Amino acid sequence: MARADDLTIMRKIIRYFYRPALRTFDTADNVVVRTLGYIGEVSILFWQALRYVLSPGDAFPAMANVGMNSMPISLITIAFSGMVLSLYTASQMAKLGLGTYVGGLVGITMARELAPVLAAVVVAARVGSSIAAELGTMKVTEQIDALRSLATNPVQYLVAPRFIACVTMLPVLALFGIVVGTLGGFIVAQTEGIGRQEYFDSVLQYVSVSDVVIGVLKTTVFGAIIAIVSCHQGLTTSGGASGVGRATTRSVVLCIVLIYAADFAIVRLLVGTIQ
């Protein structure tokens, strides 16, 4: 009798711990499946967009939106970042007699990291959200289905132009950002006692062409991420107006996270080249 009672207690204990563990494993499996499914869908959309790069829809409005319309806010953001960086470094380096390194430090940081990444983040927030909202609205109002019924490929008509715009115009924003960020650092450096000649001689001495090229080329990867992720969120939107809002939020969050992840991966691969 006692043995039966012990067995009953053991069964209850096993059930008590087994069920939460089973639910945990089910949740983990669902996360893995959803993640792999998302990677597969985004990869397919990327390759489909590449197919229509040479024959897209009208890409010039999208290029104007990514390029000219995003330039003011992008340059303002990068300029203030350069000014903050210079404010932190110039005052300390001047005290240590290392003022000749301020221009090079600001210039290298702008060329390699700050200008490309900040330009990408600004475009992701401004343009990526717009793409997701626009395509999401078209999806929930069945305009994309209407395009298919008219024998128009949505990827060619909607995705390829935005892909081309992000990949081609983001490097331009980064290039202008490098210049503006370095000039912003110069303005603050002068207030901290760093001379003009000293600052720009340092920039020319320590900032190489390869620094600028690597920084600008990184933005092509960032542009592809912004275009594909935002378009995918828009094309898979469901649930009406609230679904469009969720797709827009997910687009910005995913783009920013993937931009920083891609930046780390690129720098890790090129760390021997850029040192």
Side-chain angles (χ1 to χ4, degrees):
M1 188 68 179
R3 182 176 178 81
D5 291 339
D6 292 341
L7 290 174
T8 302
I9 294 172
M10 290 179 62
R11 290 193 187 100
K12 289 181 179 179
I13 293 173
I14 292 172
R15 283 198 299 268
Y16 180 81
F17 288 103
Y18 175 74
R19 288 174 180 174
L22 185 60
R23 286 196 295 269
T24 302
F25 285 122
D26 288 341
T27 302
D29 288 342
N30 290 333
V31 170
V32 172
V33 170
R34 288 198 299 268
T35 302
L36 293 177
Y38 176 78
I39 293 173
E41 292 174 4
V42 170
S43 301
I44 291 171
L45 184 61
F46 173 71
W47 289 114
Q48 288 177 339
L50 287 181
R51 288 176 54 193
Y52 297 107
V53 163
L54 298 180
S55 58
D58 188 6
F60 289 106
M63 293 175 70
N65 187 33
V66 176
M68 290 301 299
N69 296 345
S70 300
M71 188 167 291
I73 184 64
S74 176
L75 296 186
I76 290 171
T77 302
I78 296 172
F80 277 109
S81 298
M83 294 168 72
V84 170
L85 176 64
S86 181
L87 185 62
Y88 274 118
T89 58
S91 59
Q92 299 299 320
M93 288 190 169
K95 293 177 183 178
L96 298 173
L98 302 174
T100 55
Y101 296 99
V102 174
L105 175 62
V106 174
I108 289 176
T109 306
M110 280 292 147
R112 291 184 180 181
E113 284 299 318
L114 278 185
V117 172
L118 288 177
V121 169
V122 169
V123 170
R126 183 186 175 277
V127 179
S129 60
S130 174
I131 291 173
E134 184 179 358
L135 269 61
T137 302
M138 295 179 68
K139 179 67 166 57
V140 299
T141 56
E142 299 182 354
Q143 294 181 50
I144 293 177
D145 295 332
L147 288 175
R148 292 192 179 97
S149 68
L150 295 173
T152 301
N153 190 310
V155 176
Q156 182 180 13
Y157 186 74
L158 298 173
V159 178
R162 290 163 174 80
F163 179 81
I164 292 172
C166 290
V167 170
T168 57
M169 298 310 297
L170 199 53
V172 177
L173 291 178
L175 189 60
F176 277 100
I178 293 170
V179 176
V180 171
T182 304
L183 291 176
F186 163 68
I187 293 172
V188 174
Q190 279 202 311
T191 65
E192 298 296 330
I194 307 299
R196 180 178 63 182
Q197 191 70 30
E198 185 180 16
Y199 184 89
F200 286 109
D201 284 347
S202 178
V203 172
L204 294 175
Q205 179 179 357
Y206 294 106
V207 181
S208 64
V209 175
S210 63
D211 294 325
V212 177
V213 171
I214 290 172
V216 170
L217 289 180
K218 282 199 298 187
T219 57
T220 59
V221 179
F222 301 158
I225 290 172
I226 294 169
I228 297 301
V229 170
S230 301
C231 288
H232 176 265
Q233 289 298 321
L235 293 174
T236 57
T237 300
S238 61
S242 61
V244 174
R246 288 192 299 270
T248 303
T249 303
R250 285 197 301 266
S251 171
V252 175
V253 173
L254 285 172
C255 284
I256 293 176
V257 171
L258 291 176
I259 284 167
Y260 279 100
D263 182 48
F264 172 78
I266 293 170
V267 173
R268 184 62 181 169
L269 289 174
L270 300 177
V271 67
T273 304
I274 63 178
Q275 284 181 346

